[in-house]
Structures are given as structure tokens and as C-alpha cells.
Amino acid sequence: MGFLGKKVRLNRLLGRGDGRYLGVTVDHAMARGVLKGLDAIDDTIAKLVAGGPDAITMHKGIAQKCFERHAGAVPLVMKCSTFSPYQPDQDTVVCDVEEAVRLGADAVSIGCIVCGDSQPGQLAALARIAKEAGSAGMPLFAHIYPRGNRIDPKDRGTWENVAYAARVGAELGVDLVKVNYTGDRDSFAKVAEACPAMLVAAGGEPGKELKHYFQMTHDVLDAGGAGVTYGRFVFQYRDPVSLIKAIASMIHGNASVKEAIELLEQLERGT
């Protein structure tokens, strides 16, 4: 029965049938503060749903208070952990699989910071969630980043450390691993080769120009990644609905960077 449940949920998450994934996240407030776009959270979620991503990731309280009217419109990924501005290298479990099932989630997601002194405890937490998810037929996503205190901050983006983070997820039974982009197509291809689980790239720190995100999306796919999961880049954009549709044209429609940007411009003009 559990295996059927997992298949049902994965079919909803990957409903386009191409094995690719476009996720958006609104799980930042406890980790980074109430950012612009997360203050009016009801309005933001409504815009994200209207864009039609493959899923939206959020914490349980926001799901309970803000997602009910969108139930069934877009798959829900329940975030089960968070770090904080005061403990940036420590993800703490704040939700379990049973709660996610009760709230109708299609997957659970957990963060994990590796390459630091807190790694053993976080791996243990990830392993426990993996066991619970397997028993419940619940797909498991993990956001795994090599930013612990045992490595130099300048080395957090090397392909070797990102590949290690991705492989940790695969080794522990994660279905979809989210990692930082390594900066170019060839290095990210090495990460994808080392990770037998589905691999997606995070948006990373804000500040990039629009075209850089589109190029990154293209290069992730070309390198063998399954897609992207974006947060601030999307929910802080002036027109999230059009932006999601434009990114989806690349992930699910094989549009080029130029074609996706042109589509975004057309959608924003209303033509």
C-alpha cells in the first residue's frame, strides 16, 4: 500500500510526464526573516499557484492558514526542518511525516547542512525522516548544502563539495535532492553524474540578473539535472505568475533562454 501511495504522489508532483521539476518555495521566514514577498503571504501564495509550478514548499502553519483554498490546485511539499539567522549551519526538525500526511502533502522536504560539526546529528535526522517517509509512501525531498564550519566559505560552491552533498541525499534514500548551482554547466554535470537521485538546483543568493537565472536553468537541464527550485527570485519578482510560466517553458517545453525571456516579456505585456 505504501508503494502505491508514493507512486500516486510522485505522479502528481511530476505530472507532466517528462521527469522534470519546477518547484517554488516560501519556507524562508524562520530561516532568514520575513522577507519582502513573504509579508503578504496569502497574496504571494495565490500568485504562485496561478503560475502553475509543479509544487510549492512551505511550513505546516502556513499550509494550515493560507493553503486550504488552493488545495488540489498545486501539489504541496511540507518543509520539515529549518535553520535560523542565529544557527545558520544547523537545520532543526520542526515537522514529521505524520503531520504532513494529515495536511495532504505530496512530499516532505528536509534541510541538511554538511561539512561541519553538526553534520552527524543532521544526518541522523534526515535518516529518521527518510524511514518515516518510506513507511508512509511519502516522497522525500532534501535541501543539502556544504556550508558547515569544517570547510572554507570560498569552497562551498566547488563541484566536489556540492557532489558530496548531493550524494549524501542519494545514499540516505532521498528522492529529489536540491543543491546549489556550481556556476557552470560542466561542473554541475559532474554533480549530476555523482547523484543517482533526481537533482535540482536552488536559486541561491539574490542579486543575479534575470537572464542569469534563465541561463542557469538551461545549463542545469543540459547538465543532466531534473530542474530547479526557486524562492526569492520568483516571489520577489514583479510578476511571479508570468515568471513561473516562462521558466516552465524551459523545463517542460525545452524553450531556449531567448525564447523564455521573450515569452516572459509577452506575458507581462499581456500579448
Side-chain angles (χ1 to χ4, degrees):
M1 182 68 75
F3 292 113
L4 175 59
K6 185 170 183 176
K7 181 66 174 177
V8 169
R9 293 181 175 97
L10 283 172
N11 282 348
R12 287 197 289 257
L13 291 159
L14 305 173
R16 319 259 184 144
D18 55 11
R20 290 181 170 182
Y21 179 79
L22 168 56
V24 293
T25 62
V26 290
D27 60 347
H28 303 65
M30 283 192 286
R32 300 182 181 276
V34 184
L35 307 173
K36 177 184 176 184
L38 297 182
D39 40 9
I41 187 65
D42 278 301
D43 181 61
T44 294
I45 289 175
K47 291 175 181 176
L48 298 180
V49 170
D54 294 315
I56 301 177
T57 299
M58 65 188 71
H59 283 285
K60 59 187 178 183
I62 299 302
Q64 289 173 319
K65 294 173 176 64
C66 306
F67 197 68
E68 183 175 353
R69 66 190 176 102
H70 306 294
V74 171
L76 171 65
V77 178
M78 189 64 60
K79 188 67 179 291
C80 290
S81 71
T82 186
F83 59 92
S84 83
Y86 315 104
Q87 296 86 24
D89 61 350
Q90 174 69 59
D91 251 79
T92 300
V93 173
V94 294
C95 180
D96 60 28
V97 174
E98 182 181 353
E99 291 176 287
V101 170
R102 178 173 57 81
L103 291 168
D106 291 292
V108 291
S109 176
I110 183 171
C112 183
I113 310 300
V114 295
C115 304
D117 291 336
S118 64
Q119 175 171 318
Q122 292 183 74
L123 293 187
L126 174 54
R128 286 194 298 271
I129 291 290
K131 182 179 180 181
E132 292 178 13
S135 297
M138 179 70 73
L140 174 61
F141 296 178
H143 309 189
I144 308 182
Y145 304 120
R147 61 168 189 249
N149 64 318
R150 292 286 182 169
I151 61 171
D152 192 305
K154 68 179 176 60
D155 293 327
R156 292 173 178 175
T158 65
W159 78 262
E160 293 92 344
N161 285 328
V162 175
Y164 174 74
R167 186 58 173 260
V168 164
E171 296 277 351
L172 291 178
V174 174
D175 297 297
L176 183 148
V177 185
K178 173 184 171 184
V179 296
N180 285 326
Y181 185 55
T182 51
D184 62 81
R185 182 260 178 218
D186 290 344
S187 63
F188 198 77
K190 296 177 181 178
V191 179
E193 183 179 23
C195 181
M198 287 184 67
L199 184 72
V200 301
E205 295 298 323
K208 302 188 185 87
E209 294 181 22
L210 185 73
K211 64 181 180 182
H212 294 152
Y213 284 101
F214 279 83
Q215 186 64 54
M216 181 175 78
T217 302
H218 172 275
D219 292 346
V220 166
L221 296 171
D222 193 49
V228 295
T229 298
Y230 289 149
R232 288 165 286 179
F233 165 51
V234 172
F235 67 68
Q236 291 181 340
Y237 188 70
R238 61 178 177 265
D239 184 356
V241 178
S242 296
L243 181 57
I244 292 169
K245 292 179 178 179
I247 298 169
S249 75
M250 301 183 70
I251 293 176
H252 297 299
N254 295 315
S256 67
V257 173
K258 181 175 182 291
E259 291 168 338
I261 292 175
E262 289 175 348
L263 174 61
L264 176 61
E265 293 170 348
Q266 292 171 6
L267 291 169
E268 291 188 304
R269 289 196 305 265
T271 60

